[in-house]
Amino acid sequence: MVKRLSKGDLIFTCIVYVFLIVFTISILFPLIYVITTSFAPVRDYYTRGFFLLPSSWTLEAYQYLLHNPGFISAFKSSVIITAVGTVINITLTSLMAYGLSESWIKGRSVVNFLILFTMLFSGGLIPSYLVVDALGLIDTYWALWLPVAIAPFNVIVMRSFFAALPYELKESARIDGCGEWRMLARIILPLAKPAIATFTLFYLVGNWNTYFSAVIYLNNDSKWPLQVFLRQMLILNDDKIGQLNEMIYSYTPAARMAAILITALPLLIIYPFLQKYFNKGMLVGSVKG
């Protein structure tokens, strides 16, 4: 039996649907504009003004970027920074969180206090730069990786994740002769896939969007990531040219929009592969009563 809505409920439902439609359009509108603009010919910007659909579809902007040595170099730098940085981040975070989750580790409370302390107080930009400079890391990718190798908040959450694992599971593995490293690789980490996938995505996004640290620590423009390259493009007017890697290029609105889409594409591709782990149960089938 279908329940009929009252007049008040019907009005409220209509208002909700209208609000959701308007909200969805407000979100999709900028995305649609960026996509269509990237496929528009240059003449549309000078003859039509604002538009949503181009007069003709062209791949000139994408061809221009793919043949632009500056963009290719920045893309490679971002891939290197993201891939290596994420591996360093998730490896060190997992190891530190697992060690701190074991109650028999001596000095665990002191390390936990230091982690919490770094969340509340920071040395600041100048001291951080002086430390990086003293270590000889200026103008190297290590200046982007080491200072943020471990995020305190992620360690705390993952530590709680590991600590929630049944003690009986670990004890039975030790009785069967399983060492700590083997247990971590074969038992603990497979059970922690939801947490690892979540923090891997966080680290991926953070490393891919690296901008401020790259501007501070990287003096060689051939090592600049995509975010810095995008800034070089976006701060230039249509009638100006930008110089990068000793080559001169003209950055049209279509090229800018195409660069934005290409920059966002890798994360859009990776996200669905990690999303499936988010809602999975951590201990499903791991312990039998």
Side-chain angles (χ1 to χ4, degrees), residues 58-79:
T58 177
L59 296 175
E60 293 177 355
Y62 294 93
Q63 293 173 351
Y64 166 76
L65 287 177
L66 295 179
H67 290 86
N68 186 327
F71 181 81
I72 298 300
S73 175
F75 191 90
K76 291 180 180 178
S77 296
S78 287
V79 171

mmCIF file of all heavy atoms in Angstrom, residues 58-79:
data_model
loop_
_atom_site.group_PDB
_atom_site.id
_atom_site.type_symbol
_atom_site.label_atom_id
_atom_site.label_comp_id
_atom_site.label_asym_id
_atom_site.label_seq_id
_atom_site.Cartn_x
_atom_site.Cartn_y
_atom_site.Cartn_z
ATOM 1 N N THR A 58 37.845 21.304 -30.425
ATOM 2 C CA THR A 58 39.221 21.131 -30.888
ATOM 3 C C THR A 58 40.105 20.638 -29.743
ATOM 4 O O THR A 58 39.818 20.890 -28.566
ATOM 5 C CB THR A 58 39.794 22.451 -31.437
ATOM 6 O OG1 THR A 58 41.158 22.265 -31.825
ATOM 7 C CG2 THR A 58 39.710 23.556 -30.416
ATOM 8 N N LEU A 59 41.162 19.937 -30.105
ATOM 9 C CA LEU A 59 42.131 19.423 -29.129
ATOM 10 C C LEU A 59 43.424 20.237 -29.135
ATOM 11 O O LEU A 59 44.453 19.767 -28.649
ATOM 12 C CB LEU A 59 42.447 17.950 -29.431
ATOM 13 C CG LEU A 59 41.288 16.964 -29.289
ATOM 14 C CD1 LEU A 59 41.728 15.578 -29.750
ATOM 15 C CD2 LEU A 59 40.793 16.906 -27.846
ATOM 16 N N GLU A 60 43.353 21.457 -29.665
ATOM 17 C CA GLU A 60 44.565 22.269 -29.784
ATOM 18 C C GLU A 60 45.220 22.518 -28.426
ATOM 19 O O GLU A 60 46.444 22.463 -28.305
ATOM 20 C CB GLU A 60 44.219 23.606 -30.447
ATOM 21 C CG GLU A 60 43.793 23.481 -31.904
ATOM 22 C CD GLU A 60 43.386 24.822 -32.478
ATOM 23 O OE1 GLU A 60 43.348 25.813 -31.713
ATOM 24 O OE2 GLU A 60 43.119 24.883 -33.698
ATOM 25 N N ALA A 61 44.415 22.791 -27.405
ATOM 26 C CA ALA A 61 44.976 23.099 -26.087
ATOM 27 C C ALA A 61 45.714 21.892 -25.516
ATOM 28 O O ALA A 61 46.806 22.024 -24.950
ATOM 29 C CB ALA A 61 43.866 23.535 -25.138
ATOM 30 N N TYR A 62 45.127 20.710 -25.668
ATOM 31 C CA TYR A 62 45.769 19.502 -25.145
ATOM 32 C C TYR A 62 47.021 19.154 -25.942
ATOM 33 O O TYR A 62 48.040 18.726 -25.369
ATOM 34 C CB TYR A 62 44.777 18.344 -25.166
ATOM 35 C CG TYR A 62 43.621 18.531 -24.219
ATOM 36 C CD1 TYR A 62 42.431 19.108 -24.651
ATOM 37 C CD2 TYR A 62 43.719 18.153 -22.883
ATOM 38 C CE1 TYR A 62 41.362 19.296 -23.783
ATOM 39 C CE2 TYR A 62 42.657 18.335 -22.011
ATOM 40 C CZ TYR A 62 41.484 18.909 -22.459
ATOM 41 O OH TYR A 62 40.438 19.109 -21.593
ATOM 42 N N GLN A 63 46.958 19.319 -27.260
ATOM 43 C CA GLN A 63 48.144 19.075 -28.089
ATOM 44 C C GLN A 63 49.258 20.045 -27.730
ATOM 45 O O GLN A 63 50.445 19.674 -27.686
ATOM 46 C CB GLN A 63 47.771 19.198 -29.567
ATOM 47 C CG GLN A 63 46.831 18.113 -30.051
ATOM 48 C CD GLN A 63 46.343 18.356 -31.466
ATOM 49 O OE1 GLN A 63 46.569 19.426 -32.046
ATOM 50 N NE2 GLN A 63 45.657 17.378 -32.044
ATOM 51 N N TYR A 64 48.867 21.266 -27.445
ATOM 52 C CA TYR A 64 49.859 22.279 -27.066
ATOM 53 C C TYR A 64 50.557 21.905 -25.764
ATOM 54 O O TYR A 64 51.781 21.990 -25.646
ATOM 55 C CB TYR A 64 49.160 23.631 -26.940
ATOM 56 C CG TYR A 64 49.976 24.690 -26.251
ATOM 57 C CD1 TYR A 64 51.020 25.325 -26.914
ATOM 58 C CD2 TYR A 64 49.699 25.061 -24.939
ATOM 59 C CE1 TYR A 64 51.765 26.302 -26.267
ATOM 60 C CE2 TYR A 64 50.431 26.033 -24.299
ATOM 61 C CZ TYR A 64 51.471 26.649 -24.972
ATOM 62 O OH TYR A 64 52.213 27.606 -24.336
ATOM 63 N N LEU A 65 49.772 21.470 -24.782
ATOM 64 C CA LEU A 65 50.353 21.110 -23.488
ATOM 65 C C LEU A 65 51.225 19.862 -23.593
ATOM 66 O O LEU A 65 52.296 19.786 -22.975
ATOM 67 C CB LEU A 65 49.246 20.876 -22.461
ATOM 68 C CG LEU A 65 48.511 22.116 -21.956
ATOM 69 C CD1 LEU A 65 47.392 21.721 -21.012
ATOM 70 C CD2 LEU A 65 49.466 23.079 -21.262
ATOM 71 N N LEU A 66 50.768 18.872 -24.361
ATOM 72 C CA LEU A 66 51.528 17.632 -24.470
ATOM 73 C C LEU A 66 52.824 17.815 -25.249
ATOM 74 O O LEU A 66 53.693 16.929 -25.212
ATOM 75 C CB LEU A 66 50.658 16.554 -25.129
ATOM 76 C CG LEU A 66 49.433 16.119 -24.312
ATOM 77 C CD1 LEU A 66 48.629 15.076 -25.066
ATOM 78 C CD2 LEU A 66 49.854 15.584 -22.955
ATOM 79 N N HIS A 67 52.950 18.920 -25.972
ATOM 80 C CA HIS A 67 54.196 19.237 -26.670
ATOM 81 C C HIS A 67 54.957 20.365 -25.978
ATOM 82 O O HIS A 67 55.922 20.888 -26.530
ATOM 83 C CB HIS A 67 53.904 19.631 -28.117
ATOM 84 C CG HIS A 67 53.451 18.474 -28.969
ATOM 85 N ND1 HIS A 67 52.132 18.083 -29.038
ATOM 86 C CD2 HIS A 67 54.149 17.613 -29.762
ATOM 87 C CE1 HIS A 67 52.020 17.054 -29.846
ATOM 88 N NE2 HIS A 67 53.218 16.743 -30.301
ATOM 89 N N ASN A 68 54.486 20.727 -24.785
ATOM 90 C CA ASN A 68 55.117 21.792 -24.019
ATOM 91 C C ASN A 68 56.126 21.168 -23.054
ATOM 92 O O ASN A 68 55.739 20.484 -22.099
ATOM 93 C CB ASN A 68 54.044 22.564 -23.233
ATOM 94 C CG ASN A 68 54.613 23.774 -22.523
ATOM 95 O OD1 ASN A 68 55.762 23.763 -22.079
ATOM 96 N ND2 ASN A 68 53.808 24.810 -22.399
ATOM 97 N N PRO A 69 57.421 21.364 -23.259
ATOM 98 C CA PRO A 69 58.435 20.747 -22.370
ATOM 99 C C PRO A 69 58.272 21.152 -20.917
ATOM 100 O O PRO A 69 58.533 20.356 -20.017
ATOM 101 C CB PRO A 69 59.763 21.254 -22.944
ATOM 102 C CG PRO A 69 59.466 21.620 -24.355
ATOM 103 C CD PRO A 69 58.055 22.117 -24.358
ATOM 104 N N GLY A 70 57.833 22.389 -20.668
ATOM 105 C CA GLY A 70 57.641 22.842 -19.299
ATOM 106 C C GLY A 70 56.543 22.061 -18.593
ATOM 107 O O GLY A 70 56.698 21.657 -17.437
ATOM 108 N N PHE A 71 55.435 21.835 -19.295
ATOM 109 C CA PHE A 71 54.332 21.085 -18.695
ATOM 110 C C PHE A 71 54.715 19.626 -18.480
ATOM 111 O O PHE A 71 54.405 19.041 -17.430
ATOM 112 C CB PHE A 71 53.094 21.172 -19.593
ATOM 113 C CG PHE A 71 51.902 20.447 -19.042
ATOM 114 C CD1 PHE A 71 51.105 21.036 -18.081
ATOM 115 C CD2 PHE A 71 51.588 19.170 -19.491
ATOM 116 C CE1 PHE A 71 50.009 20.352 -17.562
ATOM 117 C CE2 PHE A 71 50.497 18.490 -18.986
ATOM 118 C CZ PHE A 71 49.699 19.090 -18.019
ATOM 119 N N ILE A 72 55.379 19.023 -19.455
ATOM 120 C CA ILE A 72 55.809 17.630 -19.326
ATOM 121 C C ILE A 72 56.779 17.475 -18.160
ATOM 122 O O ILE A 72 56.693 16.526 -17.370
ATOM 123 C CB ILE A 72 56.454 17.136 -20.625
ATOM 124 C CG1 ILE A 72 55.441 17.189 -21.780
ATOM 125 C CG2 ILE A 72 56.985 15.729 -20.461
ATOM 126 C CD1 ILE A 72 54.209 16.351 -21.564
ATOM 127 N N SER A 73 57.705 18.411 -18.027
ATOM 128 C CA SER A 73 58.662 18.356 -16.927
ATOM 129 C C SER A 73 57.955 18.494 -15.581
ATOM 130 O O SER A 73 58.273 17.768 -14.624
ATOM 131 C CB SER A 73 59.704 19.473 -17.089
ATOM 132 O OG SER A 73 60.578 19.515 -15.981
ATOM 133 N N ALA A 74 56.995 19.406 -15.489
ATOM 134 C CA ALA A 74 56.255 19.594 -14.239
ATOM 135 C C ALA A 74 55.414 18.358 -13.910
ATOM 136 O O ALA A 74 55.309 17.963 -12.745
ATOM 137 C CB ALA A 74 55.362 20.829 -14.343
ATOM 138 N N PHE A 75 54.838 17.743 -14.926
ATOM 139 C CA PHE A 75 54.029 16.543 -14.706
ATOM 140 C C PHE A 75 54.895 15.404 -14.176
ATOM 141 O O PHE A 75 54.519 14.701 -13.232
ATOM 142 C CB PHE A 75 53.344 16.121 -16.009
ATOM 143 C CG PHE A 75 52.293 15.066 -15.833
ATOM 144 C CD1 PHE A 75 50.989 15.414 -15.588
ATOM 145 C CD2 PHE A 75 52.620 13.719 -15.911
ATOM 146 C CE1 PHE A 75 50.009 14.445 -15.413
ATOM 147 C CE2 PHE A 75 51.663 12.737 -15.739
ATOM 148 C CZ PHE A 75 50.348 13.103 -15.492
ATOM 149 N N LYS A 76 56.074 15.211 -14.774
ATOM 150 C CA LYS A 76 56.988 14.176 -14.296
ATOM 151 C C LYS A 76 57.430 14.450 -12.867
ATOM 152 O O LYS A 76 57.508 13.524 -12.048
ATOM 153 C CB LYS A 76 58.206 14.093 -15.225
ATOM 154 C CG LYS A 76 57.908 13.543 -16.615
ATOM 155 C CD LYS A 76 59.172 13.498 -17.464
ATOM 156 C CE LYS A 76 58.884 12.938 -18.853
ATOM 157 N NZ LYS A 76 60.106 12.935 -19.708
ATOM 158 N N SER A 77 57.696 15.701 -12.561
ATOM 159 C CA SER A 77 58.100 16.052 -11.193
ATOM 160 C C SER A 77 56.989 15.731 -10.199
ATOM 161 O O SER A 77 57.247 15.196 -9.108
ATOM 162 C CB SER A 77 58.461 17.536 -11.114
ATOM 163 O OG SER A 77 59.594 17.828 -11.907
ATOM 164 N N SER A 78 55.737 16.044 -10.562
ATOM 165 C CA SER A 78 54.621 15.750 -9.669
ATOM 166 C C SER A 78 54.451 14.248 -9.461
ATOM 167 O O SER A 78 54.137 13.797 -8.357
ATOM 168 C CB SER A 78 53.326 16.347 -10.237
ATOM 169 O OG SER A 78 53.314 17.745 -10.097
ATOM 170 N N VAL A 79 54.640 13.477 -10.532
ATOM 171 C CA VAL A 79 54.519 12.020 -10.405
ATOM 172 C C VAL A 79 55.592 11.479 -9.474
ATOM 173 O O VAL A 79 55.324 10.637 -8.592
ATOM 174 C CB VAL A 79 54.616 11.359 -11.793
ATOM 175 C CG1 VAL A 79 54.726 9.837 -11.656
ATOM 176 C CG2 VAL A 79 53.409 11.714 -12.647
#
